[in-house]
Structures are given as C-alpha cells and as structure tokens.
Amino acid sequence: MKEDVKIRIRNLTKVFYQKGESVTALDNVTLDILDGEFVCLVGPSGCGKTTLLRILADLEQPSAGGYEIATEKEDRPLQSMVFQERGVIPWLTVRDNVAFGLEMRKLPKKVVKERTDYYLEKTGLMAFADRFPKELSGGMKQRVGIARAFANDPEILLMDEPFAALDEQNKFILQEELLQIWAETRKTVLFITHSIDEALLLSDRILLMSAQPGRISEEIRVAAPRPRAMEAIRADPDIAEQFVRVLKHLQDEVQRSRG
Amino acid sequence: MASDHNPVAVERAEWKKRQMKERMKQLLTVSSPIFMLLLWEVLSRTAVLDPRFFPPPTAILETFWNLAASGELLTHIGVSLYRIFGGFLLGVIPGVIIGLLMGLYSPIRHFVQPIVMAIMPIPTLALLPIIIILFGIGDLSKVVTIAGSVFFPVVINTAAGVMNIDPIHMDLAKNYGADSKDYFLKIAFPGALPVMLEGIQMGQAIALLTIVAAEMMGSVSGIGFLIWTSYKAFLLQEMYVGLILISFFGYLFSLLLRGLQRKILRWR
C-alpha cells in the first residue's frame, strides 16, 4: 500500500461570527489522509463535519490554518463532491448530469462521451440516460451523483451523506456498488455519515468528531479485509466491538452537548 | 354473494364509473360557455335584458361577419396583434435579462430593486400622455406602453425564480468548476424558467388589458380603437365584436403559453 499523504490538513479553524456571537465549527483540526484511503467522518449533527467537507470542496473558506491536496496529474480537478439526493440537477437529463463536470471543463466531446458512457454503464443508468431525474427513484438519483463524481476523475472524492435519504435495502445495495467502483479506482475518499454501520462497512479509518468546538476526538482503524460485504462485516466480532465503541462515543457526545 | 364475483370485473365496473365521471367533467367545461351564450340570447330576445345594451349573440355574430367581410376587422386585428407582439417582446426580453442579473448578483439586486418597486405601482396608462409626446401617436407609443406593463411581472418573477433555485445546485456548479457563462446558461436560466414563465403568462394577460386602453387614446386603428369609437357612436354590436375578440385572443394566448410551458418544462 502506498503511504503518501494525499490530504494534509493543518490547524484548520473555522469560526462563524454573527451579531457579536461566534461559534467555533472547527477548532485547530490537524489531519493526514493517505493516498487511496477511504475515511469516514462520524459525529453528531452540528459537529462541523460538513464544514470540514465544504472547506475541502472550496465552498467555504477557513478562518485560520489550511490544507493541501497532493496532485498526481496536472489536468485533473482537485476534488469532486457527491452531494445529497437534491444535488441531481432536475433540468438536465441523467446523461447531462453525469457529464456535468466534464462539460464544465470543456473536454473534447469524444472524451466526455466515453467517460460518461463508462460510468452510466457501471452504475446501471444506461437505460435511463435520456430521462429526467424526476423519473428516477432515490437510489437511482444517488447513482447519478456517484457516476458524475467518478467520471470527473478528481484527485480526491468528497461525499456528503450521499445515502442518508435512502431506505435500508437500497442503502445496502448502493454501499456495495460504491465499494466496487471505488476498488477499481482506489481514489482517496472522505465520506460523511451518521450511520455507524455505514462507516464500518466502507472505511479504512473512522474519525469521530465532537461538537462545539468541532474537533476530531478519536480515530478507529477498520481492519476488516476487502472486498467487504455487509454479511461478513455484521458477523465479524471485532467489528461488533468497534460498533459499540463508536456508539458509546456518540452517545457521550450527545449527552455532553445537552448537558 | 359478492365473493362469487370476479374481482377484476368488480374493479372494471369501478373504473368505468370513474371514466364516466371524468367525461361528465369535460362535458361541463365545454357546455358552460355554450350555456351562457344561450341564456344571453334568450334573455336578450325576450327583452328581459335590454337588447340595446345587450344585443343577442347571434346579432353580434352577424355584425362580426359584416365587419369581417368588409376587411375592416382584419386591419384592426392585424394592427393590434402587431402592437401586442412587439410590446410583449420589448417587455419580456429586458425583463428576463435584468431579472436574471438581479437574481444572480446581489449588488445589482439591491441597486435595481428600489427603482423597480417605485416605478411598478404607476400604471403605464397614466404615463400614456408622456409616452405619446415622446413616441408619437403611431404604433411605437402603443408598443412602448405594452412593453412597460409587461416588463414588471417578468422582471420580478425572473429574479424570484433565480433566488428560488436550490442552493445545492449553485454549490454543485461551483464545485464542478462552472464558469460564469455556464452558470448563467446551465443553472440560473433553466432553474428560473418555471417561475419566469408564470411571470410571462401574467405579462401576456396585462398586454391585452393594456392594448385596449392604449388604443382608446390617440389612435386611429386597432381593436381598442374599434371598441371605443363604436361605443361613442353607440354602435354597441360593433363594440361587442371588439370585446369578444379580446376575450378570444386572451384565451388563445393563454392556451399557447401553457402548451409552450408544458413542452419546455418537461423535466418537472
């Protein structure tokens, strides 16, 4: 396994200030994520995990500190984000949604079509290529978001609770599909979730966050071998133990923020 | 016993009942204008309604044919339609462009909004004397009057349409590296279209209201002129021909715009 650092975050701080009141969403976060690593960020609502992701996505500017994403290829975008279900643009067809990043980068038509076709096929969306998103189920919409991000071939992938709105069965299916596509490219992924199961299934490393100020309070390595399947993960006693550990941490966090 | 029945047959009977109800509703929609015209005809013929003020529809229809045969009517219709279309385009195009800019760039919005809000309540018709002084009594003054009335609902709805776009789409465009041209054409314009088209629909209705009034003052042709001169000469049948023409075109334009809306907004 490559041991190069892909995302280097140093003393990252974000303060939201309004009418004399300030909230520290991120407090001095320092973190290295390795090349090809799948990292899940888990924490209670309002712990700053979305803020961290939005800063890496260049949608928000840090108040202090900074980050660096190592580049491998010149013509690659730094990062692409998989948004929540609403992120699919309703007035573009499935094909145009998947091709969106490539079109914005003004790549040659042939390249756009090739890459779009590849990921439409990969995600089982080919039959829906010319439909509008309103005709798709929630799971299918989320496949559009995943296909769009992978087709863009970025240095790193950012995912903002992409499966939060799905029902349990669809969630399992999409999680395994995501793992398959990911295994092919081995991109570095930073994935936000509320679900402990999801984090244990997907990630190499889980970062637990605490709220106000937002800090990374603990990290857990998930050693289960890949490729992973939900059944095997559920049956693994080590994983069961880690589940309880994460659960305890989150409960303590919620208690503390109430107290 | 009910349980002996074929369940499909039961449901088919239910389905037929629902179909009958649907057809009944359609029938009501079609029959309501016919019913109203018949009632009017009867009341007018029996002089319950004074036929001098409310001539029976058949008499109006006869006047319509006479006016049409003389070619006079066609001239009026042509002139008015030309003014309506001209004014409509002259109002809609700047309305859409300024509305998009207002929705996208908040400094522009904050600067333009007070001006729009202050001018909007003034009826364009009240400005007609000034417009006639500036643009003469020809077509141009009517076109400008209509453009002025159409502009406001379009500009306001377009700006509101842009601001209604889910911010996640803006984030997405930014995250995937859209430049300002792509942002304008792929996100702001199509995203604002549904609300914008509602504004255009409103503008169309206002254009028809405005043309009649604009042609009543300082004009020698058009449907409004026909209505006004007929009224002044107490030729009420001719006046009703003009009123019915306005009603017809208003209905027609609404249907056309609705059709267009359905076609453009297939993604909804």
Side-chain angles (χ1 to χ4, degrees):
Chain A
M1 193 177 164
K2 299 174 280 184
E3 287 292 318
D4 312 331
V5 173
K6 189 74 184 173
I7 311 174
R8 191 187 302 270
I9 299 171
R10 289 290 174 270
N11 306 100
L12 198 69
T13 299
K14 177 73 181 176
V15 177
F16 290 105
Y17 182 89
Q18 206 168 27
K19 279 188 191 159
E21 285 202 34
S22 65
V23 177
T24 307
L26 291 174
D27 184 32
N28 227 2
V29 173
T30 291
L31 172 68
D32 283 339
I33 293 173
L34 300 180
D35 193 11
E37 206 177 9
F38 199 127
V39 174
C40 278
L41 212 50
V42 182
S45 304
C47 70
K49 52 192 194 305
T50 299
T51 306
L52 179 56
L53 204 71
R54 286 178 65 84
I55 288 174
L56 293 176
D58 200 21
L59 296 172
E60 206 97 60
Q61 298 306 313
S63 312
Y67 67 92
E68 207 181 296
I69 298 169
T71 47
E72 199 180 303
K73 279 191 196 165
E74 279 292 303
D75 55 345
R76 246 186 204 164
L78 269 190
Q79 41 76 26
S80 295
M81 181 129 147
V82 179
F83 289 84
Q84 294 175 6
E85 209 179 296
R86 284 168 21 250
V88 179
I89 301 175
W91 51 85
L92 297 180
T93 59
V94 167
R95 170 179 290 283
D96 289 340
N97 261 293
V98 173
F100 190 77
L102 306 170
E103 297 273 6
M104 292 304 107
R105 286 160 57 200
K106 321 277 187 252
L107 294 182
K109 278 212 164 62
K110 200 173 146 259
V111 179
V112 174
K113 188 171 167 7
E114 250 172 43
R115 283 211 222 158
T116 308
D117 279 349
Y118 182 78
Y119 281 101
L120 281 172
E121 199 65 68
K122 201 95 220 150
T123 47
L125 285 167
M126 201 45 122
F128 303 94
D130 297 317
R131 307 257 187 109
F132 286 107
K134 70 160 181 193
E135 296 176 70
L136 304 186
S137 66
M140 279 300 186
K141 278 186 198 156
Q142 218 36 273
R143 286 184 176 92
V144 174
I146 291 169
R148 172 169 53 207
F150 275 98
N152 209 24
D153 189 28
E155 294 286 351
I156 64 164
L157 285 162
L158 304 170
M159 306 199 184
D160 183 13
E161 299 191 53
F163 306 141
L166 299 181
D167 63 67
E168 191 107 322
Q169 283 72 34
N170 263 306
K171 197 186 281 190
F172 292 156
I173 295 170
L174 262 97
Q175 285 164 345
E176 289 193 359
E177 282 183 18
L178 172 64
L179 281 181
Q180 280 166 22
I181 299 176
W182 174 75
E184 234 178 59
T185 58
R186 283 277 163 170
K187 293 247 177 240
T188 310
V189 178
L190 187 59
F191 188 110
I192 287 187
T193 180
H194 274 115
S195 156
I196 306 170
D197 275 324
E198 185 164 83
L200 288 168
L201 173 68
L202 296 176
S203 56
D204 298 314
R205 191 149 58 112
I206 300 176
L207 302 174
L208 297 178
M209 282 192 78
S210 59
Q212 282 174 21
R215 285 191 185 131
I216 291 167
S217 50
E218 212 179 323
E219 83 170 60
I220 292 172
R221 290 201 171 275
V222 185
R226 294 183 189 272
R228 291 182 189 160
M230 191 48 109
E231 293 90 336
I233 290 287
R234 279 289 169 93
D236 189 327
D238 291 343
I239 298 278
E241 195 185 304
Q242 283 177 327
F243 182 95
V244 175
R245 218 173 117 198
V246 178
L247 184 69
K248 277 235 166 72
H249 172 90
L250 289 179
Q251 281 171 340
D252 289 350
E253 271 303 312
V254 173
Q255 287 296 346
R256 193 179 61 88
S257 65
R258 272 195 201 139
Chain B
M1 237 167 47
S3 57
D4 292 338
H5 286 298
N6 179 355
V8 176
V10 172
E11 289 305 320
R12 192 190 298 133
E14 274 297 314
W15 179 78
K16 275 190 178 153
K17 255 188 223 164
R18 282 202 301 273
Q19 291 286 301
M20 279 292 285
K21 267 191 189 161
E22 278 307 308
R23 235 169 282 158
M24 191 66 196
K25 283 183 214 159
Q26 283 171 359
L27 198 70
L28 283 173
T29 309
V30 175
S31 63
S32 85
I34 297 174
F35 170 77
M36 211 199 78
L37 286 171
L38 272 177
L39 190 70
W40 180 358
E41 180 82 27
V42 170
L43 293 177
S44 175
R45 292 256 175 230
T46 54
V48 175
L49 279 174
D50 190 332
R52 285 173 304 170
F53 304 133
F54 301 100
T58 46
I60 296 171
L61 200 65
E62 210 185 308
T63 315
F64 176 82
W65 284 124
N66 294 339
L67 282 175
S70 71
E72 195 191 338
L73 202 56
L74 210 63
T75 320
H76 289 310
I77 293 174
V79 165
S80 283
L81 287 185
Y82 166 72
R83 290 165 177 168
I84 290 170
F85 280 122
F88 184 69
L89 289 181
L90 200 67
V92 166
I93 294 168
V96 166
I97 293 170
I98 296 173
L100 284 174
L101 290 172
M102 280 173 75
L104 280 174
Y105 306 108
S106 68
I108 297 185
R109 178 165 67 249
H110 284 97
F111 184 76
V112 177
Q113 191 145 299
I115 304 175
V116 169
M117 299 303 265
I119 300 179
M120 190 175 58
I122 304 173
T124 330
L125 288 171
L127 298 174
L128 199 55
I130 306 262
I131 292 173
I132 290 176
I133 290 170
L134 288 176
F135 299 101
I137 59 162
D139 288 341
L140 190 58
S141 61
K142 279 78 190 169
V143 168
V144 169
T145 312
I146 291 173
S149 330
V150 169
F151 174 78
F152 291 100
V154 175
V155 78
I156 287 171
N157 275 272
T158 305
V162 177
M163 292 169 73
N164 254 337
I165 297 174
D166 192 330
I168 205 171
H169 299 141
M170 309 273 189
D171 283 348
L172 189 134
K174 188 167 181 231
N175 186 254
Y176 282 82
D179 57 28
S180 41
K181 184 178 139 251
D182 285 323
Y183 195 63
F184 211 82
L185 294 177
K186 295 221 156 154
I187 304 290
F189 184 75
L193 256 178
V195 186
M196 189 195 303
L197 284 174
E198 288 302 323
I200 290 176
Q201 180 81 253
M202 236 190 277
Q204 170 268 321
I206 293 175
L208 277 165
L209 296 177
T210 312
I211 184 71
V212 175
E215 285 174 345
M216 286 179 179
M217 252 194 266
S219 177
V220 289
S221 57
I223 300 175
F225 169 78
L226 173 74
I227 294 171
W228 188 240
T229 46
S230 308
Y231 165 69
K232 280 199 294 194
F234 213 67
L235 298 166
L236 288 197
Q237 296 189 7
E238 277 81 351
M239 184 193 81
Y240 276 108
V241 170
L243 293 180
I244 285 168
L245 276 174
I246 290 292
S247 146
F248 168 76
F249 282 115
Y251 198 64
L252 182 71
F253 293 156
S254 285
L255 286 183
L256 288 176
L257 276 177
R258 286 274 168 238
L260 191 73
Q261 217 165 347
R262 257 198 298 277
K263 212 172 152 59
I264 299 179
L265 301 181
R266 264 190 315 133
W267 54 270
R268 280 193 111 195

